[in-house]
Amino acid sequence: MNDVLKKLGIEPVNPGAFNGRWFGSDSKLESISPIDGKPIAAVMQATPAEYEQVLAAGVKAFETWRTTPAPKRGELVRQLGNALRELKAELGALVTMEMGKIRAEGEGEVQEMIDICDFACGLSRQLYGLSMHSERPGHRMYEQWHPLGVVGIISAFNFPVAVWAWNSALAAVCGDVSLWKPSSKTPLTAVAVTKIAERVCRDFGVDPAIFSLIIGKGSTIGEMLINDRRIPLVSATGSCRMGYRIGEVVGKRLGRTILELGGNNAIIVTPEADLDLAVRAIVFGSVGTAGQRCTSTRRIIVHESIKKTLTDRLIAAYKQVKIGNPLSEGTLMGPLIDTGAVNDMMNALKKLKEEGGQILCGGDVLSGDAYAGGCYVSPVIAFAENEYKIVQEETFAPILYVIGYKTLNDAIAKHNGVPQGLSGAIFTRNLLEAEQFLSAAGSDCGIANVNIGTSGAEIGGAFGGEKETGGGRESGSDSWKAYMRRQTNTINYTTQLPLAQGIKFGD
């Protein structure tokens, strides 16, 4: 651990604000590893006055960065990706130590950062507008895209670095600067990433304040950020409850939001499914990251004719899941983030039983030397009904509800019958079933898959969901447009002044 921290520039106590220089003088925030309950290092949080210093530097940096040619901005982001490549193992290990996901997933998250930097670099030469024919003679009309300003990024603990990269890499090539407020549960990864970005910016000869950082309390620093009219766009990842607050505050000042909120993701398994494939996808989707992905599989909607067969196979697979230290080779599931998450899981299981659900396996808080000080649980498979109140909620833990269905229309109705709408999937070898699931009358999620699970999205496609998931889109496709402002331009190259719609006004 000490070698990892040293390579990433993490000190026993670290300043939590960056605007081209490092500072922070509010209360000390200790980062506690969910692996063993021991402190890793600490961060000095920022005061409201220090927030002002950080934002002012970002606003100033934007004035220069917005006029930097987009391909040059892309080159900076390319070099950022290369710097992340060099430290992929170390940064991935820190993600594991601070968040608790297994080593392969920690390094996989850093790979997402690298991939989005590559994507954004190519995008820097493709920020296309459109030209269109004017109805007025001697006129040319087109549209173009301009940088937006300071983008506020609020990230969650479960993807402590990738979500920053999804936003900041695109924002940077679009000519924006970013102000990152990470989760207070994972502040060290944010410090490490910002130090990497700082070094790249200094080597490139640009103001490192284009990647600013502010670590502080949500009740003060977070509220200042979302209320700040100098921040035209806030991209926030977190709970639905948090999203309602941010959407209301930012919307009231007519700012923009990209909201990536809760998921309650389901997989439909039909009699036409390849069960070998389905079981593998379900186990990864439900157990991976200890069920703490927004795309984690939470509900299995399976045809009654194969419900017992699939359930028995899932229980057998769950018994083979190695739970323990996520830094150890062979571990498939690490700890939950903290004791609060463990309590939330136990409360959810209590409510499930009260509503008539049946726990088939798992649900224990694990103890013993191998789990000492950590937040380890055994993953749960349970029979439930879709209308249970607890099933309608998202519990950020490895709980998998198995729900039966009789017709595909019934299955799709259950799939869509929750407030969230992030990711969903169907396992079938029947083309008609697959196409119905992907049709306008099928899945109502932002991500809909056939014969792959609900988690593990690629950066090339726009990521996000509908309904209480917030409607935001990050990462690939044309999501870059959210980070820019559109401008329609008309040029008159005549000595006449014809009006649109044939309007006559005087001689």
Side-chain angles (χ1 to χ4, degrees), residues 210-266:
I210 61 176
F211 297 117
S212 295
L213 176 69
I214 191 84
I215 297 174
K217 300 171 184 174
S219 58
T220 54
I221 301 301
E223 285 295 314
M224 290 178 72
L225 191 157
I226 64 177
N227 277 280
D228 203 316
R229 292 182 177 272
R230 293 167 293 180
I231 300 177
L233 171 65
V234 175
S235 179
T237 303
S239 67
C240 295
R241 181 177 56 82
M242 180 201 76
Y244 274 113
R245 172 63 183 168
I246 292 174
E248 178 185 8
V249 172
V250 179
K252 189 177 291 184
R253 61 178 175 85
L254 298 183
R256 300 187 197 176
T257 55
I258 299 173
L259 298 177
E260 299 291 356
L261 310 175
N264 196 345
N265 315 295

Side-chain angles (χ1 to χ4, degrees), residues 413-436:
K414 289 179 177 179
H415 173 282
N416 295 346
V418 292
Q420 310 84 2
L422 178 53
S423 182
I426 188 170
F427 275 78
T428 180
R429 288 173 290 194
N430 184 313
L431 178 64
L432 302 182
E433 290 180 333
E435 290 293 342
Q436 182 176 344

